[in-house]
Amino acid sequence: MNTTDRKENAALQPASTLERRKSRSVSPASRSAYDIDSHMMAQMARWSSGISPISLTLSWTDWALHLASSPGSQARLARRALESGMRWSQDAVQALMPHLNAATPAATPETPAATTPEAQAAATPDSLSEQIEEDSRYAAPEWQSWPWRPLASANKLGEQWWLDACNLRGMQDHSRHQMRFYGSQLFDLLSPSNFLPTNPQALQAAWQSRGQTLLQGVNLALDDLRRSQGMQPRHASQLDLAPGQGLAMTDGEVVLRNGLIELIQYRPSTTEVQAEPVLIIPSCIMKYYILDLSPHNSMVRWLVGQGHTVYIASWRNPDASDALLGMDDYVSEGVLAALDHVHGQCQAPVHLVGYCLGGTFAAMAAGALGGGDAVLSSQNPESAASPLASLSLLAAEVDFTDPGEMGVLIDEAQVRLLEDMMASKGFLTGQQMAASFQFLHARDLVWSSKTRRWLLGQEDLPNDLMVWNADVTRLPALMHSQYLRSCYLNNDLAEGHYLYLGRPISLRDIRVPVFAVGTLKDHVAPWRSVYKIHRLVSAEVTFALTSGGHNAGIVSEPGRPRRHYQLLSSPLHQTWRTPDEWLEQAPRHEGSWWPAWDEWFKAQGSGQRVPARAPVHDPALGSAPGQYVQVRYGD
């Protein structure tokens, strides 16, 4: 069924979760019971902010039962609590000592104050002091003095005790991770930096400004509330950035449009180009212009400047009529349709690049092509040559056994809640998707930001990355459900069980050279998880580990300061290196990894250069950045 047919039938079919589709064959009574249960779960999701109370309760029960049956652990934790209380008292006294010394006469020369036991203890560094000083929330000097230091140390010591309390023998790993994660989230919420009476910086700023910072903070909080309700803020940003207005400015034309993607071909800036073109598949969770931000940090502009013919897919922002779009559609009508066009137009093997979820889709397509489960119309049926010159996976997972912090939020109960939540609309809203990523690092992405805005009255200066980050997208219900179940819950792709158009595909059928990129601070696709591509493909793998996170580590243009990467290739028959062994052996390089990637591209190609390929302007399709990227919704 193609996209058009699916849209026409979507209104006649039930909501788009896998269970709901299966429920058509059951009795009316069972169907009615399912509908009631689904409605109940959807209502539960509304007041729980999309977090499954069932999942959390199961983890808490696992922890509580193991604690109740472990008297030795109870005694150990009680002793640890007593030691933490004593350590807090000592730290509080040390913070108070300078005030006591200032209020008493100076020490005599025979007994200098600097050599008293109390002063020596105060001057002795310890792990708690280091942790507080390294925490950005308590970096200001005010936090080192009384009475603010005891508040900060209480928060840090309490969190340390809780993390220790979750290490109970016999607990399920998922329960342990959930309890640690949600406990840390609670301590982050209760941090003294989040509240006006316990934040010395906010109090000092309010006093010095005669309350103006608090007034500004209230205005910013009201603007945030209006944004959360889909309304325009009263105080608009002074920076007017949008696709086509300072962002996504690389010159190009839309050369293909179907129900899922617009394919953009960029205009060359050199007279000759490499024979093999580059096709980039970004994640459908994000707008494509993360790779074409401002002119100075645009990846596609840089690649064009290196003499490559560059194409990129721009995913359509789905609506309710797309509820039944699945992962097969994203691979066939997204990746393979774009690849077919590029391969046919350029008549050369293609460097296929996938970023984040786009990389997962690209790997599926490469596996299907390698195994003969997919064939391009532009391929010569008499030739065994692959339409791919190489495969690059940027911060993209294909093995989900160790998904890092994302795995904390994903289990059967959580997926079911999300499916029922999506059933009423047919999609997961962009705000819900963005909130889940923010929740993973709420300390930096939520609380620290709110503290600056609401308590200090400091408006974040908008930049290109912030504008892109706020330009959220939806996900079709069926595709999102399949993604969570097939990848995160069942790991079907890595295990060779994933069915593409009803046929199992294997990543072992990928025989073209692979360039994989992991980032050191990635909490979406941890680099050790990305590294597992070495075990799954039948090809040489060149792996790059870059500084930065999921976005900043990829958008790391030459010339950006404090950037570095490690790079090492593993031939097809290379003996297995563990991630730690790779880390020890891979040489470190300063600067951006992009030039090394460009050299790798050219090494995997034929080395031939051809006259530059200029895209043809089609008035019906329009120019870059296209129409799909402009579609936004208020939810």
Side-chain angles (χ1 to χ4, degrees), residues 499-537:
L499 300 180
Y500 171 68
L501 300 180
R503 300 178 63 181
I505 60 174
S506 173
L507 298 180
R508 296 294 298 175
D509 291 330
I510 297 177
R511 298 179 179 86
V512 295
V514 175
F515 191 99
V517 181
T519 64
L520 278 169
K521 299 180 180 180
D522 200 330
H523 60 277
V524 178
W527 77 266
R528 294 174 186 273
S529 183
V530 176
Y531 182 84
K532 293 180 181 180
I533 189 67
H534 286 81
R535 297 190 294 106
L536 299 174
V537 298

mmCIF file of all heavy atoms in Angstrom, residues 499-537:
data_model
loop_
_atom_site.group_PDB
_atom_site.id
_atom_site.type_symbol
_atom_site.label_atom_id
_atom_site.label_comp_id
_atom_site.label_asym_id
_atom_site.label_seq_id
_atom_site.Cartn_x
_atom_site.Cartn_y
_atom_site.Cartn_z
ATOM 1 N N LEU A 499 11.879 -7.626 9.902
ATOM 2 C CA LEU A 499 11.245 -7.937 8.628
ATOM 3 C C LEU A 499 11.032 -6.660 7.834
ATOM 4 O O LEU A 499 10.324 -5.748 8.283
ATOM 5 C CB LEU A 499 9.897 -8.636 8.848
ATOM 6 C CG LEU A 499 9.923 -9.958 9.613
ATOM 7 C CD1 LEU A 499 8.512 -10.520 9.746
ATOM 8 C CD2 LEU A 499 10.839 -10.975 8.923
ATOM 9 N N TYR A 500 11.659 -6.602 6.672
ATOM 10 C CA TYR A 500 11.421 -5.498 5.745
ATOM 11 C C TYR A 500 10.538 -6.020 4.622
ATOM 12 O O TYR A 500 10.924 -6.945 3.899
ATOM 13 C CB TYR A 500 12.740 -4.954 5.182
ATOM 14 C CG TYR A 500 12.539 -3.960 4.066
ATOM 15 C CD1 TYR A 500 11.980 -2.710 4.340
ATOM 16 C CD2 TYR A 500 12.868 -4.280 2.755
ATOM 17 C CE1 TYR A 500 11.769 -1.798 3.318
ATOM 18 C CE2 TYR A 500 12.660 -3.368 1.731
ATOM 19 C CZ TYR A 500 12.109 -2.123 2.027
ATOM 20 O OH TYR A 500 11.891 -1.222 1.013
ATOM 21 N N LEU A 501 9.334 -5.470 4.520
ATOM 22 C CA LEU A 501 8.334 -5.935 3.549
ATOM 23 C C LEU A 501 8.104 -7.448 3.670
ATOM 24 O O LEU A 501 7.958 -8.170 2.676
ATOM 25 C CB LEU A 501 8.763 -5.572 2.123
ATOM 26 C CG LEU A 501 8.940 -4.074 1.836
ATOM 27 C CD1 LEU A 501 9.370 -3.858 0.396
ATOM 28 C CD2 LEU A 501 7.663 -3.299 2.140
ATOM 29 N N GLY A 502 8.123 -7.905 4.919
ATOM 30 C CA GLY A 502 7.828 -9.304 5.191
ATOM 31 C C GLY A 502 9.005 -10.249 5.100
ATOM 32 O O GLY A 502 8.856 -11.450 5.357
ATOM 33 N N ARG A 503 10.189 -9.739 4.764
ATOM 34 C CA ARG A 503 11.365 -10.603 4.622
ATOM 35 C C ARG A 503 12.440 -10.162 5.610
ATOM 36 O O ARG A 503 12.714 -8.959 5.756
ATOM 37 C CB ARG A 503 11.913 -10.537 3.193
ATOM 38 C CG ARG A 503 10.911 -10.978 2.134
ATOM 39 C CD ARG A 503 11.495 -10.857 0.739
ATOM 40 N NE ARG A 503 12.649 -11.735 0.561
ATOM 41 C CZ ARG A 503 13.349 -11.797 -0.575
ATOM 42 N NH1 ARG A 503 13.011 -11.031 -1.604
ATOM 43 N NH2 ARG A 503 14.378 -12.618 -0.671
ATOM 44 N N PRO A 504 13.079 -11.123 6.293
ATOM 45 C CA PRO A 504 14.115 -10.744 7.272
ATOM 46 C C PRO A 504 15.350 -10.196 6.568
ATOM 47 O O PRO A 504 15.772 -10.716 5.527
ATOM 48 C CB PRO A 504 14.422 -12.067 7.985
ATOM 49 C CG PRO A 504 14.028 -13.127 7.018
ATOM 50 C CD PRO A 504 12.862 -12.578 6.237
ATOM 51 N N ILE A 505 15.903 -9.146 7.132
ATOM 52 C CA ILE A 505 17.134 -8.571 6.587
ATOM 53 C C ILE A 505 18.239 -8.701 7.629
ATOM 54 O O ILE A 505 17.976 -8.766 8.831
ATOM 55 C CB ILE A 505 16.961 -7.096 6.171
ATOM 56 C CG1 ILE A 505 16.558 -6.231 7.362
ATOM 57 C CG2 ILE A 505 15.952 -6.963 5.042
ATOM 58 C CD1 ILE A 505 16.506 -4.754 7.043
ATOM 59 N N SER A 506 19.458 -8.744 7.160
ATOM 60 C CA SER A 506 20.619 -8.896 8.038
ATOM 61 C C SER A 506 21.643 -7.823 7.722
ATOM 62 O O SER A 506 21.938 -7.559 6.546
ATOM 63 C CB SER A 506 21.245 -10.280 7.870
ATOM 64 O OG SER A 506 22.457 -10.373 8.603
ATOM 65 N N LEU A 507 22.184 -7.237 8.760
ATOM 66 C CA LEU A 507 23.248 -6.253 8.564
ATOM 67 C C LEU A 507 24.538 -6.915 8.082
ATOM 68 O O LEU A 507 25.442 -6.218 7.606
ATOM 69 C CB LEU A 507 23.495 -5.485 9.864
ATOM 70 C CG LEU A 507 22.309 -4.672 10.394
ATOM 71 C CD1 LEU A 507 22.688 -3.951 11.688
ATOM 72 C CD2 LEU A 507 21.830 -3.668 9.359
ATOM 73 N N ARG A 508 24.632 -8.226 8.202
ATOM 74 C CA ARG A 508 25.806 -8.926 7.670
ATOM 75 C C ARG A 508 25.897 -8.803 6.156
ATOM 76 O O ARG A 508 26.957 -9.036 5.568
ATOM 77 C CB ARG A 508 25.752 -10.403 8.053
ATOM 78 C CG ARG A 508 25.824 -10.687 9.534
ATOM 79 C CD ARG A 508 27.151 -10.295 10.131
ATOM 80 N NE ARG A 508 28.268 -11.030 9.571
ATOM 81 C CZ ARG A 508 29.548 -10.795 9.860
ATOM 82 N NH1 ARG A 508 29.853 -9.789 10.671
ATOM 83 N NH2 ARG A 508 30.504 -11.524 9.328
ATOM 84 N N ASP A 509 24.791 -8.436 5.518
ATOM 85 C CA ASP A 509 24.802 -8.257 4.066
ATOM 86 C C ASP A 509 25.373 -6.904 3.641
ATOM 87 O O ASP A 509 25.439 -6.625 2.445
ATOM 88 C CB ASP A 509 23.382 -8.422 3.517
ATOM 89 C CG ASP A 509 22.884 -9.864 3.624
ATOM 90 O OD1 ASP A 509 23.718 -10.773 3.562
ATOM 91 O OD2 ASP A 509 21.667 -10.069 3.799
ATOM 92 N N ILE A 510 25.745 -6.080 4.606
ATOM 93 C CA ILE A 510 26.398 -4.803 4.275
ATOM 94 C C ILE A 510 27.877 -5.086 4.039
ATOM 95 O O ILE A 510 28.610 -5.456 4.959
ATOM 96 C CB ILE A 510 26.209 -3.773 5.410
ATOM 97 C CG1 ILE A 510 24.728 -3.456 5.597
ATOM 98 C CG2 ILE A 510 27.000 -2.502 5.110
ATOM 99 C CD1 ILE A 510 24.444 -2.503 6.732
ATOM 100 N N ARG A 511 28.307 -4.909 2.801
ATOM 101 C CA ARG A 511 29.689 -5.230 2.428
ATOM 102 C C ARG A 511 30.452 -4.022 1.899
ATOM 103 O O ARG A 511 31.580 -4.166 1.434
ATOM 104 C CB ARG A 511 29.689 -6.352 1.377
ATOM 105 C CG ARG A 511 29.066 -7.651 1.897
ATOM 106 C CD ARG A 511 29.054 -8.746 0.839
ATOM 107 N NE ARG A 511 28.477 -9.978 1.378
ATOM 108 C CZ ARG A 511 27.168 -10.224 1.393
ATOM 109 N NH1 ARG A 511 26.314 -9.343 0.880
ATOM 110 N NH2 ARG A 511 26.719 -11.352 1.914
ATOM 111 N N VAL A 512 29.844 -2.852 1.949
ATOM 112 C CA VAL A 512 30.542 -1.639 1.532
ATOM 113 C C VAL A 512 31.245 -1.033 2.748
ATOM 114 O O VAL A 512 30.838 -1.258 3.887
ATOM 115 C CB VAL A 512 29.556 -0.620 0.912
ATOM 116 C CG1 VAL A 512 28.959 -1.178 -0.365
ATOM 117 C CG2 VAL A 512 28.464 -0.238 1.903
ATOM 118 N N PRO A 513 32.325 -0.262 2.550
ATOM 119 C CA PRO A 513 33.038 0.336 3.683
ATOM 120 C C PRO A 513 32.110 1.210 4.537
ATOM 121 O O PRO A 513 31.234 1.900 4.020
ATOM 122 C CB PRO A 513 34.134 1.168 3.008
ATOM 123 C CG PRO A 513 34.312 0.544 1.668
ATOM 124 C CD PRO A 513 32.956 0.050 1.257
ATOM 125 N N VAL A 514 32.343 1.153 5.839
ATOM 126 C CA VAL A 514 31.491 1.868 6.799
ATOM 127 C C VAL A 514 32.338 2.871 7.575
ATOM 128 O O VAL A 514 33.444 2.548 8.041
ATOM 129 C CB VAL A 514 30.810 0.889 7.775
ATOM 130 C CG1 VAL A 514 30.026 1.649 8.848
ATOM 131 C CG2 VAL A 514 29.881 -0.068 7.016
ATOM 132 N N PHE A 515 31.806 4.090 7.713
ATOM 133 C CA PHE A 515 32.398 5.127 8.557
ATOM 134 C C PHE A 515 31.377 5.429 9.645
ATOM 135 O O PHE A 515 30.273 5.912 9.354
ATOM 136 C CB PHE A 515 32.705 6.388 7.735
ATOM 137 C CG PHE A 515 33.555 7.406 8.454
ATOM 138 C CD1 PHE A 515 34.915 7.478 8.218
ATOM 139 C CD2 PHE A 515 32.998 8.299 9.361
ATOM 140 C CE1 PHE A 515 35.706 8.430 8.863
ATOM 141 C CE2 PHE A 515 33.767 9.238 10.017
ATOM 142 C CZ PHE A 515 35.135 9.312 9.767
ATOM 143 N N ALA A 516 31.709 5.120 10.890
ATOM 144 C CA ALA A 516 30.778 5.319 12.006
ATOM 145 C C ALA A 516 31.346 6.372 12.948
ATOM 146 O O ALA A 516 32.552 6.382 13.231
ATOM 147 C CB ALA A 516 30.540 4.016 12.748
ATOM 148 N N VAL A 517 30.474 7.249 13.435
ATOM 149 C CA VAL A 517 30.879 8.338 14.316
ATOM 150 C C VAL A 517 30.101 8.236 15.618
ATOM 151 O O VAL A 517 28.864 8.154 15.622
ATOM 152 C CB VAL A 517 30.627 9.715 13.671
ATOM 153 C CG1 VAL A 517 31.094 10.831 14.611
ATOM 154 C CG2 VAL A 517 31.339 9.816 12.333
ATOM 155 N N GLY A 518 30.827 8.213 16.721
ATOM 156 C CA GLY A 518 30.228 8.314 18.043
ATOM 157 C C GLY A 518 30.703 9.583 18.716
ATOM 158 O O GLY A 518 31.755 10.125 18.359
ATOM 159 N N THR A 519 29.929 10.075 19.676
ATOM 160 C CA THR A 519 30.310 11.299 20.386
ATOM 161 C C THR A 519 30.422 11.010 21.874
ATOM 162 O O THR A 519 29.628 10.245 22.437
ATOM 163 C CB THR A 519 29.302 12.434 20.143
ATOM 164 O OG1 THR A 519 28.022 12.077 20.694
ATOM 165 C CG2 THR A 519 29.139 12.689 18.661
ATOM 166 N N LEU A 520 31.396 11.624 22.511
ATOM 167 C CA LEU A 520 31.742 11.302 23.890
ATOM 168 C C LEU A 520 30.603 11.547 24.878
ATOM 169 O O LEU A 520 30.415 10.767 25.812
ATOM 170 C CB LEU A 520 32.969 12.118 24.322
ATOM 171 C CG LEU A 520 34.336 11.564 23.913
ATOM 172 C CD1 LEU A 520 35.421 12.586 24.174
ATOM 173 C CD2 LEU A 520 34.626 10.268 24.659
ATOM 174 N N LYS A 521 29.835 12.609 24.681
ATOM 175 C CA LYS A 521 28.817 12.991 25.659
ATOM 176 C C LYS A 521 27.401 12.695 25.175
ATOM 177 O O LYS A 521 26.445 13.339 25.618
ATOM 178 C CB LYS A 521 28.953 14.478 25.991
ATOM 179 C CG LYS A 521 30.293 14.850 26.603
ATOM 180 C CD LYS A 521 30.372 16.340 26.909
ATOM 181 C CE LYS A 521 31.715 16.704 27.534
ATOM 182 N NZ LYS A 521 31.803 18.169 27.829
ATOM 183 N N ASP A 522 27.269 11.728 24.288
ATOM 184 C CA ASP A 522 25.971 11.430 23.694
ATOM 185 C C ASP A 522 25.105 10.648 24.679
ATOM 186 O O ASP A 522 25.476 9.554 25.112
ATOM 187 C CB ASP A 522 26.160 10.621 22.414
ATOM 188 C CG ASP A 522 24.954 10.675 21.496
ATOM 189 O OD1 ASP A 522 23.834 10.811 22.009
ATOM 190 O OD2 ASP A 522 25.132 10.596 20.269
ATOM 191 N N HIS A 523 23.940 11.184 25.058
ATOM 192 C CA HIS A 523 23.005 10.459 25.910
ATOM 193 C C HIS A 523 21.846 9.889 25.113
ATOM 194 O O HIS A 523 20.959 9.253 25.676
ATOM 195 C CB HIS A 523 22.474 11.358 27.026
ATOM 196 C CG HIS A 523 21.735 12.570 26.529
ATOM 197 N ND1 HIS A 523 22.380 13.727 26.145
ATOM 198 C CD2 HIS A 523 20.414 12.807 26.352
ATOM 199 C CE1 HIS A 523 21.488 14.620 25.757
ATOM 200 N NE2 HIS A 523 20.293 14.079 25.874
ATOM 201 N N VAL A 524 21.826 10.126 23.787
ATOM 202 C CA VAL A 524 20.797 9.563 22.911
ATOM 203 C C VAL A 524 21.307 8.283 22.254
ATOM 204 O O VAL A 524 20.609 7.260 22.216
ATOM 205 C CB VAL A 524 20.375 10.589 21.845
ATOM 206 C CG1 VAL A 524 19.350 9.988 20.895
ATOM 207 C CG2 VAL A 524 19.813 11.843 22.510
ATOM 208 N N ALA A 525 22.517 8.328 21.712
ATOM 209 C CA ALA A 525 23.159 7.164 21.097
ATOM 210 C C ALA A 525 24.564 7.038 21.673
ATOM 211 O O ALA A 525 25.526 7.535 21.082
ATOM 212 C CB ALA A 525 23.207 7.311 19.574
ATOM 213 N N PRO A 526 24.718 6.415 22.839
ATOM 214 C CA PRO A 526 26.040 6.319 23.481
ATOM 215 C C PRO A 526 27.068 5.705 22.546
ATOM 216 O O PRO A 526 26.771 4.769 21.794
ATOM 217 C CB PRO A 526 25.776 5.416 24.691
ATOM 218 C CG PRO A 526 24.309 5.536 24.965
ATOM 219 C CD PRO A 526 23.668 5.740 23.630
ATOM 220 N N TRP A 527 28.278 6.229 22.578
ATOM 221 C CA TRP A 527 29.268 5.821 21.581
ATOM 222 C C TRP A 527 29.614 4.341 21.677
ATOM 223 O O TRP A 527 29.896 3.704 20.658
ATOM 224 C CB TRP A 527 30.528 6.679 21.685
ATOM 225 C CG TRP A 527 31.481 6.368 22.798
ATOM 226 C CD1 TRP A 527 31.527 6.932 24.027
ATOM 227 C CD2 TRP A 527 32.556 5.409 22.752
ATOM 228 N NE1 TRP A 527 32.548 6.390 24.768
ATOM 229 C CE2 TRP A 527 33.205 5.456 24.006
ATOM 230 C CE3 TRP A 527 33.036 4.522 21.799
ATOM 231 C CZ2 TRP A 527 34.298 4.656 24.329
ATOM 232 C CZ3 TRP A 527 34.126 3.711 22.107
ATOM 233 C CH2 TRP A 527 34.742 3.782 23.359
ATOM 234 N N ARG A 528 29.568 3.765 22.866
ATOM 235 C CA ARG A 528 29.853 2.342 22.990
ATOM 236 C C ARG A 528 28.770 1.502 22.319
ATOM 237 O O ARG A 528 29.027 0.377 21.878
ATOM 238 C CB ARG A 528 30.003 1.951 24.458
ATOM 239 C CG ARG A 528 31.221 2.585 25.121
ATOM 240 C CD ARG A 528 31.259 2.307 26.618
ATOM 241 N NE ARG A 528 32.340 3.037 27.256
ATOM 242 C CZ ARG A 528 33.586 2.602 27.367
ATOM 243 N NH1 ARG A 528 33.892 1.395 26.884
ATOM 244 N NH2 ARG A 528 34.507 3.322 27.957
ATOM 245 N N SER A 529 27.562 2.030 22.263
ATOM 246 C CA SER A 529 26.489 1.354 21.548
ATOM 247 C C SER A 529 26.679 1.504 20.042
ATOM 248 O O SER A 529 26.493 0.549 19.279
ATOM 249 C CB SER A 529 25.136 1.916 21.979
ATOM 250 O OG SER A 529 24.078 1.245 21.355
ATOM 251 N N VAL A 530 27.051 2.696 19.589
ATOM 252 C CA VAL A 530 27.325 2.928 18.171
ATOM 253 C C VAL A 530 28.479 2.045 17.695
ATOM 254 O O VAL A 530 28.481 1.533 16.573
ATOM 255 C CB VAL A 530 27.638 4.417 17.925
ATOM 256 C CG1 VAL A 530 28.031 4.673 16.473
ATOM 257 C CG2 VAL A 530 26.441 5.291 18.314
ATOM 258 N N TYR A 531 29.440 1.816 18.578
ATOM 259 C CA TYR A 531 30.634 1.034 18.248
ATOM 260 C C TYR A 531 30.299 -0.409 17.861
ATOM 261 O O TYR A 531 31.075 -1.072 17.156
ATOM 262 C CB TYR A 531 31.586 1.058 19.444
ATOM 263 C CG TYR A 531 32.888 0.332 19.240
ATOM 264 C CD1 TYR A 531 33.963 0.960 18.618
ATOM 265 C CD2 TYR A 531 33.054 -0.993 19.662
ATOM 266 C CE1 TYR A 531 35.171 0.290 18.425
ATOM 267 C CE2 TYR A 531 34.247 -1.657 19.475
ATOM 268 C CZ TYR A 531 35.304 -1.016 18.857
ATOM 269 O OH TYR A 531 36.495 -1.667 18.661
ATOM 270 N N LYS A 532 29.151 -0.909 18.287
ATOM 271 C CA LYS A 532 28.792 -2.301 18.025
ATOM 272 C C LYS A 532 28.610 -2.608 16.550
ATOM 273 O O LYS A 532 28.490 -3.782 16.165
ATOM 274 C CB LYS A 532 27.518 -2.658 18.797
ATOM 275 C CG LYS A 532 27.713 -2.652 20.303
ATOM 276 C CD LYS A 532 26.424 -3.002 21.038
ATOM 277 C CE LYS A 532 26.643 -2.969 22.542
ATOM 278 N NZ LYS A 532 25.402 -3.312 23.284
ATOM 279 N N ILE A 533 28.604 -1.593 15.703
ATOM 280 C CA ILE A 533 28.514 -1.819 14.258
ATOM 281 C C ILE A 533 29.676 -2.703 13.787
ATOM 282 O O ILE A 533 29.547 -3.419 12.790
ATOM 283 C CB ILE A 533 28.515 -0.463 13.503
ATOM 284 C CG1 ILE A 533 28.203 -0.671 12.020
ATOM 285 C CG2 ILE A 533 29.832 0.250 13.680
ATOM 286 C CD1 ILE A 533 26.814 -1.144 11.746
ATOM 287 N N HIS A 534 30.795 -2.690 14.515
ATOM 288 C CA HIS A 534 31.941 -3.517 14.142
ATOM 289 C C HIS A 534 31.576 -4.998 14.082
ATOM 290 O O HIS A 534 32.125 -5.748 13.269
ATOM 291 C CB HIS A 534 33.086 -3.338 15.151
ATOM 292 C CG HIS A 534 33.812 -2.034 15.046
ATOM 293 N ND1 HIS A 534 33.351 -0.861 15.602
ATOM 294 C CD2 HIS A 534 34.991 -1.711 14.438
ATOM 295 C CE1 HIS A 534 34.205 0.115 15.358
ATOM 296 N NE2 HIS A 534 35.204 -0.363 14.647
ATOM 297 N N ARG A 535 30.691 -5.441 14.964
ATOM 298 C CA ARG A 535 30.366 -6.867 15.047
ATOM 299 C C ARG A 535 29.284 -7.296 14.066
ATOM 300 O O ARG A 535 28.990 -8.488 13.947
ATOM 301 C CB ARG A 535 29.886 -7.213 16.460
ATOM 302 C CG ARG A 535 30.914 -7.017 17.555
ATOM 303 C CD ARG A 535 30.436 -7.606 18.875
ATOM 304 N NE ARG A 535 29.268 -6.895 19.401
ATOM 305 C CZ ARG A 535 28.033 -7.349 19.392
ATOM 306 N NH1 ARG A 535 27.764 -8.515 18.832
ATOM 307 N NH2 ARG A 535 27.046 -6.652 19.903
ATOM 308 N N LEU A 536 28.657 -6.335 13.375
ATOM 309 C CA LEU A 536 27.421 -6.642 12.664
ATOM 310 C C LEU A 536 27.539 -6.626 11.147
ATOM 311 O O LEU A 536 26.671 -7.162 10.465
ATOM 312 C CB LEU A 536 26.326 -5.662 13.102
ATOM 313 C CG LEU A 536 25.969 -5.707 14.594
ATOM 314 C CD1 LEU A 536 24.989 -4.596 14.933
ATOM 315 C CD2 LEU A 536 25.383 -7.054 14.964
ATOM 316 N N VAL A 537 28.560 -5.986 10.602
ATOM 317 C CA VAL A 537 28.659 -5.854 9.146
ATOM 318 C C VAL A 537 29.833 -6.663 8.612
ATOM 319 O O VAL A 537 30.771 -6.986 9.348
ATOM 320 C CB VAL A 537 28.815 -4.368 8.726
ATOM 321 C CG1 VAL A 537 27.603 -3.562 9.157
ATOM 322 C CG2 VAL A 537 30.093 -3.769 9.317
#
